Amino acid sequence: MAVKKTYITTSIAYVNAEPHIGFLYELLAGDVLKRYYQAQGKEVYFLTGTDEHGIKVAQAATAAGKEPQNFVDEVSKKFEQLGKDFNIDFDYFIRTTNPEHQKFVQEKWQQLESAGVLKKKKYSGLYCSGCEAFKTEGEIEGGRCSVHEKELEKIEEENWFLVIEEEKKKKIEDWINFSVYPETRRQEAINVLKSDSYDEISLSRSKERYGWGVPVPGDESQIMYVWADALFNYISALKINNKEDLWPADIQIVGKDIVKFHAIIWPALLIACGYELPKKLLVHGFINSDGKKMSKSLGNVISPHQLVDRYGVEASRYLIFRGLSFYDDSNFTWADFDHLYNGELANGLGNLVARTIGLAKKINLRPDFAKEHPTSGSILDFRHDLIELNAWINECDQNISANKVWEETESKRSNLDGILRRIWTIAGRLEPYTPETAKEIRRQLTELDSKPLFPRLEK
Ligand SMILES: [Zn+2]
C-alpha cells in the first residue's frame, strides 16, 4: 500500500489588510516542516491560502472604493506573492471565493442539516466586529472586546446554530489532550470547551446585515458565518485537487487568537460530517515589536519586505526562527536581529565555512560526502533546533583553533576531514530553514570554492 503523503496546512489569511509578519510566520513554519519531512524521505502536501468572506473584508472593500470580489482578487495576489518571495514551497493556494470551495461548503452544510445538528433560533448577544464573533463573559473587559478593545454591539437576530452535544464535547476534549501543542494552549482550549457557551455555536448571519458570504442552502435570509465557510478550506482544497485521501491533516498551524475555532468548532464540524480529526494542531504566539503589540497607530509594524530589504530572504528565514520563540509571544527588535545576523550568520557560519574551505584547498582535501547520513534535530522546537546547530558551529571553530588544524600534518589532515564532514551535516540540518544557503555550502565544500555566504551588515 502506498504511504499517505504528510499533509500540512497553515490557517488561511484574512484579506482585509496587507500581508503581515504573522502570516509569514505560519507560511515559513509550514515550509520548514515540509522541507524537513522531505529530507526524511516523506512526501508532503502543503496548503495555504486566503479567507475572503466576512464583514471586515466587505468593509475594507467599501473603504477602498471597490467591489468585494475585485478587492479580494487584488489582496489575495499579494499574499500568494509573499509566499513566492520567501521561497515557500506550497502545493496549492486555496481561496474561499473559489466557486468549487463554496459548492463544497454548501454540501457540507446540507450534510450537517441531515445529521440533525443544526437548529435555527433567535439569539441576542454582544458582538465584536473585530473578531467577527459573539463574545462570552470571559472575553469581555469593561464592556469591550478583550482582544480588540472595541465597544461591543448588541445584536439580536435569528441564526443557525451548530449543536455540540456532551458526547461530542468529550470526544473533542480527548482529541485536544493528544493533539494540541503546546501544553499551555491545550489547557486554554479545554477551559473554553467546558464553558456552557460552547453547547451551541452560531454558524450563520443575517444576509441583509452581512451580505458578503456563502449563501445558506435553503434559507435565503442567511449567509454562512465566515468561520463555518473558512474552516472547510482544509478539505475543499483537497477535493478541488482530487486529493481527499490526504485527510486527516498531519499538522495544522494556527495563531493563538484562533485556537478556539480550530480546537473546538473545527473538530465539532468534522465529527458531525463523519471526518477524522487532524493529528496535530500547532499553535504559535504573537510577534510584538519594541515590546508592544504591532499596530499602525503606534507605527511599530514590521512588514515582511522590510526584513528582506535588510537581511535578504535566506537570513530572514533563519532569523525569524532563531530570534523569536514560535510558541510563545516574542519581542522583535532590529537590534536583536542585527546582532544575531552578524554573530551567527556573517561571523559564525560564514567564517567557519570560508576558513575551513581555505584550509582544505591548501592541501586539496576532498572528503567523500556521499557517506554522510542526514541527521535530524528537534524540528518542532525551531528555536532550540537552531541554537543547537549554532553550538555545533562554535565547536567546529574551537576544534580548528585548539588543534591547530592549519598545520599540514597527517593527524591535522584527518581532523580537518572531520570538520568538513561536520559542516556538510550542518548544511543538511540548515536546509529546511535556509535551503539555498545549504545548497551553496554543499557546492562550496565539493568544489573547494569559497564565496561569502552572508555579507556583514553595514551600519
Ligand atoms: Zn474582538
Side-chain angles (χ1 to χ4, degrees):
M1 209 179 82
V3 178
K4 180 182 131 2
K5 281 188 185 179
T6 301
Y7 180 34
I8 300 174
T9 72
T10 66
S11 69
I12 49 176
Y14 204 48
V15 294
N16 64 328
E18 299 282 305
H20 49 87
I21 197 168
F23 182 58
L24 175 65
Y25 215 18
E26 281 181 28
L27 281 176
L28 283 172
D31 189 60
V32 167
L33 291 173
K34 174 175 180 176
R35 291 173 192 272
Y36 173 79
Y37 289 118
Q38 280 178 329
Q40 313 278 306
K42 291 185 180 154
E43 281 192 83
V44 181
Y45 193 80
F46 176 26
L47 176 74
T48 188
T50 40
D51 176 3
E52 306 185 358
H53 291 123
I55 187 75
K56 278 195 285 182
V57 170
Q59 285 168 345
T62 307
K66 292 186 174 131
E67 285 300 314
Q69 188 62 54
N70 295 341
F71 177 77
V72 299
D73 286 348
E74 277 173 28
V75 183
S76 176
K77 268 200 200 100
K78 294 185 189 170
F79 280 90
E80 194 169 357
Q81 189 57 44
L82 174 73
K84 290 176 180 160
D85 290 347
F86 276 82
N87 200 9
I88 309 290
D89 188 19
F90 55 81
D91 293 281
Y92 186 64
F93 192 93
I94 178 81
R95 298 184 51 195
T96 57
T97 51
N98 180 327
E100 287 184 75
H101 165 80
Q102 301 193 49
K103 188 168 158 262
F104 182 82
V105 293
Q106 286 181 323
E107 283 165 16
K108 292 299 135 187
W109 184 281
Q110 284 162 328
Q111 211 178 317
L112 293 169
E113 210 173 2
S114 357
V117 294
L118 297 183
K119 68 171 185 187
K120 199 173 184 183
K121 66 166 197 178
K122 256 222 170 67
Y123 182 81
S124 81
L126 292 170
Y127 194 81
C128 170
S129 61
C131 297
E132 298 210 28
F134 287 101
K135 307 306 287 186
T136 56
E137 246 168 64
E139 299 167 324
I140 300 173
E141 276 168 30
R144 288 164 185 267
C145 163
S146 57
V147 181
H148 292 92
E149 293 164 19
K150 264 190 183 192
E151 203 138 338
L152 299 165
E153 249 179 290
K154 186 159 169 78
I155 287 181
E156 186 179 281
E157 58 178 49
E158 204 172 17
N159 294 146
W160 287 97
F161 283 75
L162 174 72
V163 180
I164 307 186
E165 310 89 334
E166 273 314 308
E167 187 197 342
K168 209 181 274 171
K169 277 193 171 182
K170 185 78 192 74
K171 257 192 206 168
I172 296 173
E173 187 182 342
D174 290 345
W175 171 79
I176 290 174
N177 269 318
F178 284 101
S179 313
V180 176
Y181 188 88
E183 174 76 41
T184 45
R185 302 296 167 214
R186 193 178 304 160
Q187 205 44 56
E188 234 174 72
I190 286 176
N191 293 345
V192 176
L193 176 71
K194 285 187 167 166
S195 68
D196 295 340
S197 42
Y198 276 79
D199 296 344
E200 291 170 345
I201 296 162
S202 149
L203 279 195
S204 74
R205 296 288 182 264
S206 133
K207 186 174 180 181
E208 197 188 328
R209 195 194 288 270
Y210 299 103
W212 181 240
V214 180
V216 168
D219 184 349
E220 287 192 352
S221 73
Q222 301 277 305
I223 53 166
M224 287 184 205
Y225 173 41
V226 62
W227 277 103
D229 146 25
L231 286 164
F232 277 112
N233 89 85
Y234 305 123
I235 301 180
S236 72
L238 297 179
K239 171 108 195 260
I240 291 168
N241 292 288
N242 286 320
K243 295 194 181 298
E244 277 173 291
D245 59 324
L246 294 188
W247 190 260
D250 294 273
I251 299 179
Q252 299 210 273
I253 306 165
V254 303
K256 67 171 191 179
D257 54 328
I258 53 174
V259 172
K260 69 178 183 191
F261 300 103
H262 285 83
I264 299 172
I265 302 181
W266 182 221
L269 291 169
L270 288 168
I271 294 169
C273 291
Y275 285 108
E276 281 183 57
L277 301 184
K279 294 193 187 137
K280 200 172 251 147
L281 184 68
L282 294 188
V283 184
H284 67 80
F286 282 169
I287 305 173
N288 295 322
S289 165
D290 290 326
K292 297 194 183 75
K293 190 175 166 178
M294 287 189 209
S295 83
K296 267 188 199 156
S297 54
L298 288 175
N300 65 346
V301 176
I302 307 300
S303 88
H305 294 108
Q306 274 175 289
L307 289 174
V308 174
D309 288 347
R310 183 143 183 89
Y311 307 113
V313 171
E314 289 278 294
S316 295
R317 290 175 58 112
Y318 176 93
L319 294 169
I320 281 174
F321 291 108
R322 172 63 184 89
L324 307 170
S325 168
F326 193 70
Y327 300 102
D328 305 313
D329 288 352
S330 295
N331 186 40
F332 170 90
T333 70
W334 289 107
D336 288 346
F337 268 40
D338 279 6
H339 183 74
L340 285 171
Y341 177 96
N342 277 334
E344 297 187 1
L345 295 177
N347 292 346
L349 177 67
N351 273 358
L352 173 68
V353 173
R355 188 182 182 198
T356 314
I357 289 176
L359 293 170
K361 201 171 175 179
K362 265 208 243 165
I363 53 173
N364 196 27
L365 180 61
R366 294 167 184 269
D368 177 7
F369 293 114
K371 286 185 195 148
E372 297 305 309
H373 294 292
T375 61
S376 53
S378 50
I379 190 64
L380 288 180
D381 190 345
F382 305 112
R383 188 181 211 180
H384 183 264
D385 196 31
L386 290 176
I387 288 174
E388 195 176 272
L389 206 51
N390 207 54
W392 287 15
I393 292 168
N394 290 333
E395 279 164 25
C396 287
D397 269 331
Q398 280 156 15
N399 189 335
I400 291 176
S401 306
N403 295 304
K404 301 189 175 138
V405 170
W406 52 88
E407 292 176 0
E408 293 173 26
T409 63
E410 199 47 46
S411 78
K412 306 297 171 193
R413 193 180 166 91
S414 120
N415 214 325
L416 183 58
D417 182 275
I419 295 167
L420 287 162
R421 290 174 189 280
R422 189 66 161 172
I423 296 174
W424 185 271
T425 312
I426 288 171
R429 272 190 61 181
L430 270 175
E431 189 161 29
Y433 302 96
T434 57
E436 298 306 316
T437 305
K439 217 184 285 171
E440 173 62 10
I441 293 174
R442 289 204 196 97
R443 185 197 67 77
Q444 293 191 9
L445 288 170
T446 311
E447 298 173 13
L448 294 182
D449 171 32
S450 166
K451 300 235 164 63
L453 294 171
F454 298 100
R456 271 191 76 85
L457 289 174
E458 290 173 25
K459 281 280 162 194

